[in-house]
Amino acid sequence: MTSSYPIKQGLFTRPVWLAIAACTVLAALLPIFNLAFAEGHALHVSAYVVALVGKFMCYALAALALDLVWGYTGILSLGHGVFFALGAYAHGMYLMRAIGDQGQYHSSLPDFMVFLDWKTYPWYWAFTEHFWYCMALVVLVPGVLAFVFGYFAFRSRIKGVYFSIITQAMTYAFMLLFFRNDTGFGGNNGFTDFKTILGHSITAPATRAVLFLLTLTFLLAALIGARAIVRSKLGRVLQGVRDSEARLMFLGYNPLWFKLFVWTLSAVLCGIAGALYVPQVGIINPSEMSPANSIEMVVWVAVGGRGTLLGPILGAFTVNGLKSWFTAALPELWLFALGLLFIVVTLFMQQGMLGVLSKLKRKPVVAEEAA
């Protein structure tokens, strides 16, 4: 089974490991410098930069999750935004309960429930005042949804563009559902105005630093775990599903369970990314489930290089860095720039940024051999 995907880039050479270690140390220093040095000091890192990089790392974790299903299994999902948002909402429920009577209406209920004249919490809010229960929901809600959805889709052998369309329809349906006020998730405004997390002020620099380092830890652990999967026999089977599912079935494998495993795992990783995202950004609303957000995730992976693990992380930082600059300097041109970027990558950089870097690195070797 042959493939045009740059699989070897996902194995990491020694220089790549050193680069990962250097980037990890550099990232870990950002919140430390924010706390250790006063504003105005040459080494001070602003709270804005810490929050921005923390948000980008959450996006990078979601992009890595998508690369497992698209880059290594050949399943293009246009609905991963729903898993990201569900993880964020699960954590947001705890954060809303933690507000207590500090809201605008000084009620034990969230402000949006008081505004709608609700007297008690809905049944599905039960136990959400407990942190670890909500952390279980972060994993279970996206995981169960992905398992059920994936089981029926893969069992019916829905694949290709048809699978992509139904994943987009799924996230669009959830977005419309969460926009409704009577669902008990804040409607159009969603969850915001968080006060504390585990008894600590959510805006305190020390709390921000812990959340940042926790996100960095999860991203690094997910990268190492994903690398272990793709290098294992399981990973080779997943790549077999991507390259020639019919031939894999001829060899006696049932692709259903392999696809279902990686699909569910990817959804769980997206849910964790969303849970880490919401306390750092301070808001979650149904717009995170919009089909456009899921398409942006695909762009991150494509720009960085699918089937490489590191590429999606690089792509998430690059695209969102450009987005931050464009939306501040030229906000009306961002969507045009994003579309142009995707077209350029599709036509001229099919292996993404890492593919281009790999080709540039190999050119001197080819020249020496020719000489």
Side-chain angles (χ1 to χ4, degrees), residues 13-333:
T13 60
R14 184 176 179 182
V16 172
W17 276 117
L18 291 175
I20 292 173
C23 290
T24 302
V25 172
L26 181 62
L29 289 175
L30 295 180
I32 295 175
F33 282 8
N34 172 256
L35 293 173
F37 299 100
E39 190 173 350
H41 193 282
L43 295 178
H44 176 76
V45 176
S46 68
Y48 170 78
V49 171
V50 173
L52 188 66
V53 176
K55 181 174 72 171
F56 287 178
M57 287 194 297
C58 295
Y59 289 152
L61 180 55
L64 176 62
L66 181 58
D67 192 38
L68 282 175
V69 294
W70 185 32
Y72 283 93
T73 318
I75 302 171
L76 175 57
S77 169
L78 297 180
H80 259 47
V82 71
F83 303 129
F84 183 89
L86 288 175
Y89 267 100
H91 191 185
M93 293 169 79
Y94 165 77
L95 295 175
M96 293 301 291
R97 294 291 292 265
I99 295 175
D101 59 0
Q102 300 178 54
Q104 181 179 350
Y105 297 105
H106 304 289
S107 170
S108 60
L109 295 173
D111 287 345
F112 71 87
M113 290 188 182
V114 177
F115 179 78
L116 294 172
D117 200 29
W118 291 25
K119 304 303 181 184
T120 59
Y121 282 100
W123 64 267
Y124 43 85
W125 278 75
F127 307 112
T128 52
E129 71 273 18
H130 302 294
F131 177 78
W132 292 112
Y133 175 78
C134 287
M135 292 304 99
L137 292 181
V138 166
V139 174
L140 291 175
V141 173
V144 170
L145 174 63
F147 183 89
V148 173
F149 177 89
Y151 176 78
F152 287 105
F154 298 142
R155 191 185 67 167
S156 302
R157 298 189 180 180
I158 299 173
K159 60 180 68 174
V161 66
Y162 301 105
F163 183 84
S164 301
I165 290 172
I166 64 172
T167 57
Q168 191 170 60
M170 174 184 66
T171 190
Y172 187 67
F174 269 89
M175 182 186 71
L176 294 179
L177 176 66
F178 274 67
F179 264 122
R180 294 170 58 95
N181 285 324
D182 57 2
T183 55
F185 292 104
N188 182 63
N189 296 320
F191 297 159
T192 188
D193 196 31
F194 308 128
K195 305 294 185 184
T196 62
I197 179 170
L198 292 174
H200 301 279
S201 172
I202 204 166
T203 58
T207 306
R208 294 283 187 180
V210 171
L211 290 169
F212 182 98
L213 295 174
L214 191 61
T215 305
L216 178 62
T217 301
F218 268 99
L219 178 58
L220 185 61
L223 177 62
I224 294 173
R227 175 182 178 271
I229 289 174
V230 301
R231 292 195 63 188
S232 67
K233 182 179 178 180
L234 170 61
R236 292 193 291 273
V237 173
L238 294 176
Q239 292 167 48
V241 171
R242 177 194 68 196
D243 297 334
S244 180
E245 187 173 339
R247 188 177 299 182
L248 193 71
M249 294 174 67
F250 180 77
L251 294 174
Y253 289 92
N254 182 0
L256 169 64
W257 300 109
F258 294 100
K259 292 161 71 174
L260 194 56
F261 166 77
V262 73
W263 172 256
T264 305
L265 174 62
S266 178
V268 169
L269 288 176
C270 263
I272 293 173
L276 292 166
Y277 169 89
V278 68
Q280 297 184 84
V281 176
I283 187 172
I284 177 65
N285 58 46
S287 64
E288 292 294 337
M289 298 182 185
S290 69
N293 282 22
S294 295
I295 293 173
E296 272 198 43
M297 289 185 184
V298 173
V299 175
W300 303 341
V301 178
V303 168
R306 56 178 170 156
T308 62
L309 297 181
L310 281 178
I313 296 175
L314 178 61
F317 273 88
T318 301
V319 175
N320 284 288
L322 288 173
K323 183 178 182 179
S324 294
W325 181 82
F326 261 97
T327 51
L330 303 164
E332 68 280 358
L333 296 180

